[in-house]
Amino acid sequence: RHAVCIFYLVLRALDTIEDDMTISLDVKVPMLHEFHSYLYQPEWKYMESKEKDRQVLEDFPTISMEFRNLSKVYQDVISDICHKMGVGMAEFLEKKVDSQHEWDKYCHYVAGLVGIGLSRLFSASELEDPIVGQDTELANSMGLFLQKTNIIRDYLEDQLEGREFWPREVWSRYAKKLSDLAKPENIDMAVQCLNELITNALHHVPDVLTYLSRLKNQSVFNFCAIPQVMAIATLAACYNNKQVFRGVVKIRKGQAVTLMMDATNIQAVKAIMYQYVEEIYQKIPSTDPSSNKTQQVISSIRAMSLPGGSMASRHHYSPIYLSCAMLLAALSWQYLSTISKATEEYVQAGEN
C-alpha cells in the first residue's frame, strides 16, 4: 500500500511538470529527463509551478524521503518507471500524435508504464505471482485501455484547452482539422471517427481479461478490475454517440456503484465486459466504415467472456462481508462526494 501510494505521488509530481505550460521547454525537457534522480536528492523541490497540483512539487522532499524509506525492491521499480516515463513525456512535448503506432507509444509512456510499474510492485510484494510483473505486454494493455478511453471521451474538453491526442492517421480520414469534428455539419463523419477509435481501444479487452484472470489477491483484483469495468461502460456510452462532440458523456451514478460492487471476481468481470460489448454490438450502424472490425473484435471478446471461454482463469469467491463492506463504502461515498467525480478519477487511473 505504501509503495503504491508513493508511486502515485511521484508520478503526480512528474505529470504536474509535464502539464505546466508556464515552464519553458528548455527547462522542462531536462527536468523530465532527470526527474528520477530527484528521488535521491533530499532537498530537491520546485517552487515555480502554477499548476493546481503544485503542492507535490513544493513538498517533494517529503515524498522523496518516504520513497527512500521503501524497500529497495520497490524503489528500483518506481525509479525505473519514472525515468522511462519522463523520457517519453519529453519526446511527445515537441510532436503531436500522428500514427496509430505513435498513439500506442504515447499511451504506453503515460499509462502503460503505470500498469507495468504497478504489476511489478504487486509481484515484488509477493501478493501476486512473478508472471504478473514479468508479462509487460498484458500490463501495458491494462494502461492503454484506460488511457484510450480517457482520450476518446475527453475530445471536447481537450479541444477547448488546446490539446490534441486523437491520432492524425485516423481523424484525417474524416476531417481536415481535428477541431472540425466538433462542427455540427460534420457530426456524421465525427461519429464514424469516434467509432473507429473505440474499436481500436476494444482490442485491449482480451489482454485485460487475461491479466485479471491471473490475480490471486482480492484487494489487488478490486484495485485493477474497477477502473477497467468503468472504462468499458464509458466506451459503451460513447459509442455512436453524437454527445461526445457536444458535451461530457458520463455513466450514471447508480451504474458506477453497481460496477464497483460487482467487479470482485473474474467471472463477474467477464459478464460485465460481455454485457457492454453486446450493448455496443446492438448500436453498430450497418453503414459505419468500421462496422466489420467492430463486429470482429466483439466476437473475440465474447469468446473469452462466455462460461468455458478460451482462457485459463482463477476463480475468486468474494465472502458476504466483503460485499456488505463495499455496499457500505459505496453508500457512504455518495454522501461524501459525487459518484460522477469518483468515476472520472477511476477511469483516469491510466493518466495518474
Side-chain angles (χ1 to χ4, degrees), residues 199-223:
T199 300
N200 176 298
L202 289 174
H203 281 89
H204 298 294
V205 173
D207 278 357
V208 167
L209 291 173
T210 303
Y211 180 97
L212 293 174
S213 73
R214 290 176 172 170
L215 301 178
K216 298 185 301 185
N217 181 275
Q218 186 70 60
S219 292
V220 172
F221 186 89
N222 294 353
F223 179 82

Side-chain angles (χ1 to χ4, degrees), residues 229-241:
V229 296
M230 295 287 189
I232 191 70
T234 300
L235 289 183
C238 290
Y239 185 81
N240 209 48
N241 188 348

Side-chain angles (χ1 to χ4, degrees), residues 209-210 212-214 266-267 270 309 311-316:
L209 291 173
T210 303
L212 293 174
S213 73
R214 290 176 172 170
I266 186 61
Q267 296 304 334
K270 284 185 186 180
M311 178 175 68
S313 66
R314 185 188 300 273
H315 291 275
H316 296 254

